[in-house]
Amino acid sequence: MVSSASPSSEIVGLGSYVPQKVMTNQELESIMDTTDEWIRTRTGISERRVADVTEGTSDLAVAACRDALQDAGLRAKDLDLMIVATCTPDYFMPGLGVLIQNKLGCRPIPAIDLRGQCSGFAWALSTADAYSKMADYQYILVVGSDLQTRILDYSLDGRNSAVLFGDGAGACVLKVKKTLGESQPSGLLDHILGSDGSGFSHLMVPRPGCQANNSSFISHNDIDSKKTAPYMDGRQVFKYASYYMEKTVTELMARNKLSIDDIDLIIPHQANLRLSKILKTKLGIPPEKMVSVIEKFGNTTSASLPLCFVEARQSGKLKKGSLIITTTFGSGFTWGGNLIRW
């Protein structure tokens, strides 16, 4: 059984884009003190994608959006709203959404940016679903795009973060449902969002910014001291991530009167393969019900979930009627998840 409330939006188009350049673990061995075995053992990652210098975060996003629109049989001018998740925008301002809107050739529609970091796409789906209930929209584009490789510290100091991240983008088109009441309705059924700002310092990019006790937005010292690269306390992040990602799944199942047997696919944020394995063990998830792309893409932040959607559909795991739970965790700390009937 799932929530008795009929969904007001469903996914009708999927798209993704990853840059052509592949960075393998062996290449990382040549520029930092690490090994392929060390990376595979601790993360499950074999390779990741790196954006070309001619590409920005918005360009990755636009390619994924065009793919999603084609899949939905729509044009950019058909869109009524855009929700964009990223933590690596092209500019400090304006936001990423308006750049995507302009490059796609959309009408003057709202293009809203969200900063949920690795939870961004789950948050964006929830936000888009909420808008579908309160405004006269027909088609909503949800986008996750991040270009992390340009801010990483490829030295021993930044090794723990640098081996994790790759670049990529994913998108989906939501159609707002006008007719409700199907016996087994497809669409977005339920969502969980959460945050705990007391953990912000465990995973962050300290500079640039407008914090107190800093007289400038960025300084040469910030760059020289590598404060513009991600900092991560891996143990703390892993502990909180494993707790909240499991909690998100169990809460979504409990309040919709579901068991793991009722769920066809669990799609976790692709942060670390060990994290996914812990989730699988704690919840008793059969291997065939888990989706993973981290081996070939690494952690693509807000693009993680839609890249998994595309992979699951291409592999035949994602079918009409499939019941899916997503679960995410990111900097902030933030977490979130979605219950979806495909």
Side-chain angles (χ1 to χ4, degrees), residues 294-324:
I294 194 169
E295 300 90 344
K296 58 184 178 180
F297 297 138
N299 182 346
T300 53
T301 321
S302 64
S304 173
L305 290 188
L307 287 176
C308 283
F309 288 159
V310 172
E311 175 76 14
R313 189 172 68 173
Q314 289 176 346
S315 67
K317 286 186 174 183
L318 184 57
K319 303 170 184 176
K320 180 67 175 175
S322 294
L323 194 58
I324 305 157

Side-chain angles (χ1 to χ4, degrees), residues 50-73:
V50 178
D52 184 79
V53 69
T54 62
E55 296 176 308
T57 305
S58 63
D59 299 306
L60 308 186
V62 167
C65 292
R66 286 176 175 154
D67 194 24
L69 285 167
Q70 183 178 20
D71 189 48

